[in-house]
Amino acid sequence: MTTATLSTFERSLGRLDVESTRTSADELGETLASVTLDPVVGAPLPFENYSLPDWIRTDPTPAELEQAKTGVTAAEMAVADYGSVVIRATPDATEQVSLFPDVHVAVVRAADVVPGMPEAFERLAEWTAEGDSAIVATGPSATADMGALVKGAHGPKEVHVVVVE
Amino acid sequence: MSSTRDEKAARIRHFLATEGDAVAEGTRGFNAGRYESVARLDDYEELKDRARAIKEDAIERLPELVDQLRESVEANGGTLYVADDADDANRYIREVAERKDAETLVKSKSMTTEELEVNDALQSDGVDVVETDLGEWVIQLADEAPSHIVAPAIHKSREGIADLFEATFDTEEPLETAEELTAFAREKLGERIAEADVGMTGANFIAADSGTLLLVTSEGNARKSAVVPDTHVAVAGVEKIVPSVTDFQPFVELIGRSGTGQDITSYISLLTPPVDSPTVEFDDPDVPMTAGGTERDGSSVPSRTSDREFHLVLVDNGRMAMREDEQLKETLYCIRCSACANSCGNFQSVGGHAFGGETYSGGIATGWETGIEGLDVAAEFNDLCTGCSRCVNACPVKIDIPWINTVVRDRINRGEGGRLDFLVEGLTPDAEPGGLDLGKRFFGNFSTVAKLGSATAPVSNWLAGTRPARRLLAETVGVDPRRELPAFRRETFRAWFERRGGSEVPQARARREAVVYPDLYTNHVQVERGKAAVKTLEALGVHVVVPDVPSSGRAPLSQGMVSTAEGHAHEVYAALAEHIDADRDVVVVEPSDLAMFRREYEKFLAPKSFERLDMHSYEVMEYVYGLLHAGAESTLLSAPDERDADERDADDAGVAYHSHCQQRTLGLESYTVAVLEDLGYDVVTSETECCGMAGSFGYKREYYELSMDVGEPIREQFEAADAADRAVVASGTSCLEQLDALLSRPTQHPVELVAPR
Ligand code: SF4
């Protein structure tokens, strides 16, 4: 990932009206506190040197999932050209945590931002070859079926991307 | 015949009035979005080429890919079932539901399941089937059929949806805004997803190498349907398989842009089921979801992922036979993006309830419905494709949709089994079967009509204008009495050229030599534009010849008379070949004829012949542009200030230009604009895909109102304040006729505007 790729990613997010925040591993907890609304649920981050702060409930129950206002998950890849975050479906419910609450906060490592779809699909081919599933999510859930564009159809109304440098 | 025409007219009138406005707003928005979104791609053409190549290869190797996919799905722990037809697919799905004791099945949008009518099949077993895509849910509540392959409820207004919700649910608070309606639907459907036993989705693409499904969605309902219940049934046409996950990439970049004009939809799911996500047991709301987790009190819970079940149902239902049909095969490359519907003037006006069959709607529906349901279903709406070709460049897999529609029209003309009526055979000047509709035969043999018309003009024109004649024309061949008929000229374009003694530029002094092709309309009706073309070329130093060349075959082709059109192609080539050998360029005034030379003749001529004609033929303004850029002096052409200088003031440089649909598909609009601008004109171009006349289409009684409705946006644009005083020019004969009907000011071909006076 180059700085230019990261700036492209941020510009793409801007076009989608998705807010993004750069942070460091040390400040991740504080950053998350500032961009989440209670109650918060999360899925454990698959990154080596840091994890979610303790105040975020991982391993939620269906009731907690439904009541949560914010869901925090990792995005193990992001696509600069489109402002997409790629969420891997994991046994610890990353998919659900990113989908049910009104706000999805995606934690992305700067190194995992790829320039475009060709690079993204090279990696996705590796993931799926191992039997994995993933969602390329771009902006909030949306529908135009009710006569005008509305954000937040069955999924989140708002997405916030936290980039860890 | 007459009563079928009346019924057709009534049906179209009904949809124009009830659904037309909502469909027009939605589709035109998508279509405009498409232009903007694909313009943001640097490699749009290359992506389309790759998408096309992937599909060609996949359909070629389909049986082998099905086997490979079966191995992948089974290795992942799922099941693959190839269903021969709808009943077979439904039987399998019903058995899955029965084994799961399913009470509720939630579905995300899938046209293939519409094709199967699986909802009815399941409901007859007592399974409650709930559509979770908001648009599809609206359709389900209203008990209607989708009117668009991507936006099923595009024909419904916000007010209509609000009334429907109120009537169905007796809502306490009135629902008004789109936000309120969406929130209401989300809540209702959230409850149904929570209690569902089975989730059913479609699949836009399936990778044979890993068993991964690709789902293109925006709402998030497909994600929930696939992940909340423990059983996932995915249903897809067998043509959806591509070799590998990397092959998804061009489609992901193209599908949203082509369809709704979004660079990408919110969610592209790559599911390799059974997925690793835990199921969500809303019945046990306080038990953590994670696999093999523990309850908060410490007792262990069984794994929530290990008992997932996945069934992939691949539907044949005619597709494997389409694969063997050289003409219909291309239909299988279709990725159901809806661009062909959104870019279609007729579709924009009436929508998929008129322009569609049992399941599919829009341009490519003819291919799908012929392959899946049969010719009789396709015959009900096939005429609505006018062959304007505006969908051709829009299609991300480069399907020649109008060609498929023409071939199907030909098959319809010939009737099931191609039975010929030998009594009439041989009495008509075409190569078509005797059972052919009289109207089609009339319009298809317009060259004969035109020759007769000129030979007997002006009497033929007076006669044709009389009430008894108009009634006869209306009743026998279906010409709408509200249309002005083209007036045949006694002196044809060729006769004029001969009378003046040929070209005024001698060969010896000529910069180039060119044939001006005397197309049917230029020769018999729009004679002035032919004269203007000759004078313009001569002013630029070209020695012109106007030989006797047969008509292009466009008229019969548009009626689906393929073998007649093919005959014309050979004759035209034979007549032009020696001119090309003599290094003469072929200049064509009528864009629909040029499009024959450059597009359709590829199907009829030997490759080398096609290439030669294609290489050497030019649209007249394209040719003028080329001459000017090769150094010809433009001073002899008419620039704005010279035109009728006494009557006009400085603003008279204003031109409102409507290019021709097929001319734009060939990418030729810009030449006319450039020539006019170089001469000092100020040009506004129309934003409408097609004027609605589309050759003979708008003359037909049953389509007159539709044709006028399709032309309405041009009328609005050209009558708006910034265009109302501009001179109207248009390239095509039928566009000129249509603009004459729509506007109250004179129209002409651009070459008439620039020709020396
Ligand atoms: S034929 Fe082409 S444009 Fe039409 S829906 Fe299929 S892929 Fe899209």
Side-chain angles (χ1 to χ4, degrees), chain B residues 442-443 446 470 477-486 521 692-704 707 733-734 737-738:
Chain B
F442 173 78
F443 288 114
F446 195 69
R470 292 306 307 248
V477 297
V479 176
D480 194 281
R482 287 161 288 191
R483 282 286 180 199
E484 291 241 6
L485 293 177
Y521 300 94
M693 185 66 123
S696 59
F697 182 82
Y699 284 101
K700 294 183 181 171
R701 197 144 67 83
E702 61 274 39
Y703 302 127
Y704 170 78
S707 161
T733 305
S734 52
E737 306 273 353
Q738 175 80 326

Side-chain angles (χ1 to χ4, degrees), chain B residues 206-218:
Chain B
I206 308 170
D209 65 348
S210 64
T212 304
L213 319 175
L214 183 129
L215 268 71
V216 178
T217 67
S218 268

Side-chain angles (χ1 to χ4, degrees), chain A residues 7-17 79-84:
Chain A
S7 328
T8 306
F9 179 50
E10 287 168 334
R11 261 201 312 280
S12 302
L13 290 172
R15 266 204 312 276
L16 296 163
D17 273 336
V79 189
D81 281 351
Y82 284 85
S84 313

Side-chain angles (χ1 to χ4, degrees), chain B residues 149 334-340 364 395-397 399 401:
Chain B
I149 57 175
C334 170
I335 62 168
R336 313 251 180 96
C337 74
S338 81
C340 54
I364 195 62
C395 176
V397 280
I399 299 176
I401 300 151

Side-chain angles (χ1 to χ4, degrees), chain B residues 337-348:
Chain B
C337 74
S338 81
C340 54
N342 302 333
S343 59
C344 171
N346 282 348
F347 190 94
Q348 292 174 354

Side-chain angles (χ1 to χ4, degrees), chain B residues 52 203 208 246 258 281 365 369 398 417 437 457 552 576 592-593 644 684 698:
Chain B
R52 167 88 189 188
T246 45
S258 303
E281 307 290 334
E369 295 287 341
K398 303 186 131 184
D437 170 288
S552 72
L576 288 174
S592 59
D593 289 322
D644 303 321
V684 159

